[in-house]
Structure formats: structure tokens, C-alpha cells
Amino acid sequence: FEEAPITPERLLAWGALDSAMVEFLAQAVRARRSLLIAGGTGTGKTTLLNMVSDFVPRDDRVVSIEDTCELRLNVPHWVPLETRPPSIEGRYAITALDLVNAALRMTPDWIIVGEVRAGDVAAALLQTQISGHAGLSTIHARSPWETVQTLTLRCLQSGQFPKVEAIKVLIALAVDVVVQLEWDPAGVRRVTRIAEVGRQLRGGEVQLSDVFRFDPSSMTWQQACAPDCRRQAGGRPGVAEFSRG
């Protein structure tokens, strides 16, 4: 990862997203909504996370958790934490879960997990995001729907939840926006979907409402609906309402 800051202007020049999407993400982050950036290996999840962090309010305290430090956040109050493998004796390991618990004692406004892998970390992160901490994280998934299923499976692996429905309620309450990244056939890493997450389950499932979707036939992004209609029953404010809290 290069040292130079990843700015919105650079991603716009690369064709990764358009200006309306940048503005939507900026308003979401400034309103301290929790974002989950999904995609396959090498699709630019960390690059986009670095860019989005530029919209974090300057007075906010940010704690990041990674296995290997790759983030280059442009925020003044940033505490980076890194996991540590065990010694040859099998001792002194520091896990991502250890760091999530440590981060909660640092009075953060934001907790960033470089990549949500382990089930106990997924469960702990979601629970911090419903207790007043905003989140910015990445996860390996090929669509917003698959993101929800992956989170559900990982939380099940933690053994903390007896029922799948409880996990889905937690996801609906903890995650505000899912941003999907993909490689296109031309080799461009591109945001292909931005979806808002509804607070209430419908038919026992987490509700995902597309805000932007990439149309490969026209090579442009389509806005799914006007800002004032992006509100499901019991859902979160749409982009036009972020600034009003």
C-alpha cells in the first residue's frame, strides 16, 4: 500500500465510483453511520476504507484493529492496534477479540476492524456498534446479501447466539450501509453497489435497499431511488436525512 493518501479525487479519476456516491458516503460517515465494505481479494476494500476515513469528523477518536497494519488513515486522533501471533511456546498471543475489548476501554468514537474474519470478532464488533460506537470494517463477500449470510455464519461460529434470528436482528441494528466492490472485465476495481440496511426484519430476513448500482451495459452508476424515498418501515434515514441525525 502506498504512503500517499487515497483521496476521493483519485478514486473518481480511476473510475471506482462517481461523485454522487462519494457525497453519500461522506454524509453517512459524518453522521457516524456504520459501514461495511465487502468484496473479494484485491478488489480495493482497504483502499476504499482509507478514503472513506477522510470524512470522519476531526474531533473523533478512532481505534483500528488489524492483523497486519495496512491502513493509512487521515485522521488526527487515531490509535492503531495490531494482533500478535503466539510465541513458539504458544504464549503471549494477542487476538483481534482481545484488541476489540481493549479498544472499548479507550473511549473511541469509531472502531475499525481491517477485516472481519473470526466469529467471535464479528459478534463483538456488531455488539459494539449497537452500543454507541460507529464502525468501518471490511469483509470478504461477493454481494450485500452474501455479506449478511457471512456475518450470520461467523456469529454462529462464536457460539454466543442460540438462534439465527437473534443474529439477523443484531446485524440489522448494527450495520447501516454495505458497500460492494468488484473487479470488472476491464480490470478496474469498482464500487458496484451501495445498499442501506433496514432496521426491521421482513420475513425473518435482513432487508437491503439499493442506493446505487453499477450498470455494466452503460458503464454508469444508477441511483436506485430519490433520497426522500430511501426509507423503509422502521428503517434508517436516507442520504438526504443523514445530516439531520
Side-chain angles (χ1 to χ4, degrees):
F1 293 88
E2 55 184 288
E3 295 291 336
I6 301 297
T7 63
E9 291 74 21
R10 295 181 69 185
L11 290 185
L12 288 169
W14 296 341
L17 71 176
D18 70 7
S19 57
M21 299 163 77
V22 171
E23 180 60 23
F24 176 87
L25 295 174
Q27 289 193 34
V29 173
R30 288 168 186 153
R32 294 182 179 170
R33 305 302 186 193
S34 291
L35 276 65
L36 195 55
I37 300 172
T41 302
T43 51
K45 299 186 297 297
T46 301
T47 298
L48 184 64
L49 196 158
N50 281 325
M51 185 277 283
V52 168
S53 72
D54 196 48
F55 303 124
V56 171
R58 298 294 92 181
D59 292 334
D60 283 6
R61 182 177 177 84
V62 177
V63 179
S64 66
I65 297 165
E66 298 180 271
D67 291 329
T68 303
C69 285
E70 297 176 338
L71 294 174
R72 301 289 186 269
L73 304 184
N74 185 26
V75 292
H77 305 296
W78 171 33
V79 181
L81 303 177
E82 188 174 4
T83 62
R84 184 174 67 193
S87 66
I88 57 174
E89 296 89 2
R91 303 168 63 188
Y92 311 117
I94 300 176
T95 67
L97 181 59
D98 294 333
L99 295 180
V100 169
N101 292 329
L104 291 172
R105 301 185 184 98
M106 299 180 184
T107 61
D109 297 294
W110 293 82
I111 296 178
I112 296 178
V113 176
E115 185 175 335
V116 180
R117 290 194 183 99
D120 53 1
V121 175
L125 179 66
L126 292 176
Q127 290 177 82
T128 65
Q129 290 178 190
I130 64 171
S131 61
H133 303 88
L136 279 172
S137 303
T138 74
I139 190 169
H140 276 269
R142 293 171 293 183
S143 69
W145 178 86
E146 189 173 298
T147 296
V148 171
Q149 307 313 310
T150 300
L151 276 176
T152 302
L153 288 172
R154 290 183 180 169
C155 288
L156 273 176
Q157 291 169 352
S158 73
Q160 299 181 37
F161 303 93
K163 294 183 179 180
V164 171
E165 184 178 3
I167 299 172
K168 292 185 177 180
V169 169
L170 179 61
I171 293 171
L173 294 174
V175 181
D176 294 293
V177 178
V178 178
V179 183
Q180 186 66 44
L181 284 153
E182 296 179 34
W183 281 100
D184 76 0
V188 178
R189 298 185 295 182
R190 200 186 309 275
V191 176
T192 54
R193 287 176 71 184
I194 296 179
E196 288 182 330
V197 182
R199 281 195 185 275
Q200 295 184 350
L201 302 186
R202 185 177 301 166
E205 296 297 329
V206 175
Q207 295 303 297
L208 297 165
S209 177
D210 278 350
V211 182
F212 296 95
R213 181 188 285 268
F214 182 70
D215 179 7
S217 63
S218 63
M219 297 299 289
T220 59
W221 288 272
Q222 305 297 322
Q223 191 166 310
C225 58
D228 61 353
C229 76
R230 266 198 310 277
R231 188 184 183 97
Q232 302 171 18
R236 296 176 177 77
V239 63
E241 301 169 88
F242 273 140
S243 59
R244 298 199 292 273

